[in-house]
Structures are given as C-alpha cells and as structure tokens.
Amino acid sequence: MNLLAVERIKLFSTRSPWWCALITLALAIGFAAIIASATSSDSQLSVSATLYGGTQFGIAVVMVLAALAVTTEYRFNTIRTTFQAVPHRSPALVAKAILVALVALVIGEVAAFGALGLGMVMRPNDGLGLHSTQDWLNVAGLGPIFAISAVLAVALGILIRHSAGAIALLLIYYLAVEELVQIIPKVGRHIHEWMPFNVANKFLRGSAQVDGPPPSDSPLSPGWALAYFAGIAIVLLLVALGVAKKRDA
C-alpha cells in the first residue's frame, strides 16, 4: 500500500495523466455525439457504435499515459531514487503497473458510460441501453480492456525506457501492424486471429456484425478472449521485470 501511495503521488504530480484522461473522455464522448448526430433518423443507433471513439482512439491515449508513467522516470532519473528505496525493483514496478491499470480502468468506465449516456440523450427513440450481456460487455468491458492495455504499455516502457520510442512502437503496432498482418499470403489471417488487440475486440464486440469496425475473427469466446489478452500483458510485464533487474537504472 505504501508503494501504491508513492506511485500515486508521482503519477499525479505531472500533467500528462490529467491531459491524457481528458483527451480520452473527449474522444469517447465526442465521437458518441458525432455518430449520434450523423446517424439518419431511419437508422437505429447501436450501443457498440456509441463506443467507437473510446474503443478505437481511447485505448491509444491510455497506452501513451501508461508508457509515460514509466519513461518519464527514466528521463528525469527519478527511477534511481525509487530503486534505491526498493532494491529488488520488482515491487515498485508492479505497484506502478497496478496503479496505472486502476487509473485506466476508471477512465475507461467513465468514458464508456458517458458515451452511452450521451447517445441515449441524443437518440431517445433508439432504445439504447444495457439490454443484453453483449451490451454490458460493450460498455462495462471497456474499463478492463483499458486496464490491460495500460499494463502492456507499462511493460513496454520498462523495456524501452525512452518516451518517444515506446510511444511510437505502441501506436504503430496498435494502429497499423495488426491490420497489415492480414495481407501476408496464406498465414496472415491465421496470425491475425491471435493478435492481442484483435482478441480484445472479441471480448468487447463478440462476433456479431454491428455498426463500426468489423467484428473480431478470433476463435475464442469473450471470456477466454479477455483471459488471453490479460495473459499476454502479464507475460510481457514479467519479461520486463526480469530485464529491469539485470540492467543499470
């Protein structure tokens, strides 16, 4: 608990978490307003469509927040003080990952329910609401996906230690690599089925064809998709902890 308190003070003593949180909320709720206003009166707005901004762009911003939580310490050498206070290193880094994940979880839930609430206000006749299990996964599931994505970003930040490099790699992978993998002849589609964010999309959206981006082609059920995504984040974090112990701060 003491380590979590220390990490909380360090995280919120900088401006980046506040700006990233505001940008994420603005993207999620703003896109919900745009989509609600752009949908014709003859069409019915879906719950998934209201979450488009939060899902597609909010995750990217949250990962930037998480990466900066680590790389900023390396940039200003405050990580040396942290490791002097916690010589084993892993507890401090795990505390950082947990705290950032909790912050991302809260941001994701506020963004998701805010976007849905705005959609319900703007389109009162479309019957928007949490009427099914999939609706709950679309909305309440965004927080856990944000949290796991944040852990992935923290792990990458520990491995790379440089803000520009970590952010560039995260964004290139998230926004481009998983889609480009599909064009590899013969095996591209099969590889794509198991890519982390494609699997995470299966948890959020299921297999139904609804408004927004195409559904995930992952063969996993939503529950196993979340477990798989979390497993990848945990493995990458364990690798990062092992590397952090062996090299100089």
Side-chain angles (χ1 to χ4, degrees), residues 109-193:
E109 296 301 329
V110 173
F113 283 97
L116 176 63
L118 183 61
M120 293 172 67
V121 170
M122 295 182 66
R123 306 280 298 204
N125 298 322
D126 283 5
L128 288 172
L130 303 176
H131 305 303
S132 66
T133 300
Q134 190 57 55
D135 288 340
W136 276 101
L137 291 177
N138 286 158
V139 181
L142 191 60
I145 293 300
F146 271 31
I148 297 170
S149 300
V151 173
L152 280 170
V154 167
L156 193 64
I158 295 170
L159 289 170
I160 295 180
R161 302 193 293 183
H162 190 273
S163 297
I167 292 171
L169 185 57
L170 283 168
L171 295 183
I172 289 171
Y173 178 84
Y174 175 66
L175 298 175
V177 171
E178 290 202 1
E179 292 303 316
L180 293 176
V181 162
Q182 297 182 82
I183 67 175
I184 299 175
K186 297 183 180 180
V187 299
R189 294 283 182 181
H190 300 293
I191 296 173
H192 183 258
E193 291 178 354

Side-chain angles (χ1 to χ4, degrees), residues 13-26:
S13 63
T14 61
R15 296 180 181 179
S16 57
W18 301 102
W19 279 110
C20 288
L22 289 173
I23 291 171
T24 302
L25 295 177

Side-chain angles (χ1 to χ4, degrees), residues 52-148:
Y52 179 83
T55 304
Q56 300 303 111
F57 303 108
I59 291 175
V61 180
V62 163
M63 288 196 297
V64 170
L65 182 161
L68 288 175
V70 179
T71 58
T72 301
E73 284 216 63
Y74 280 101
R75 177 184 176 189
F76 293 104
N77 288 325
T78 56
I79 197 71
R80 294 179 182 271
T81 305
T82 299
F83 289 161
Q84 286 174 354
V86 188
H88 292 296
R89 300 188 179 187
S90 292
L93 295 174
V94 169
K96 185 184 293 293
I98 291 173
L99 179 71
V100 174
L102 290 174
V103 172
L105 176 69
V106 172
I107 293 172
E109 296 301 329
V110 173
F113 283 97
L116 176 63
L118 183 61
M120 293 172 67
V121 170
M122 295 182 66
R123 306 280 298 204
N125 298 322
D126 283 5
L128 288 172
L130 303 176
H131 305 303
S132 66
T133 300
Q134 190 57 55
D135 288 340
W136 276 101
L137 291 177
N138 286 158
V139 181
L142 191 60
I145 293 300
F146 271 31
I148 297 170

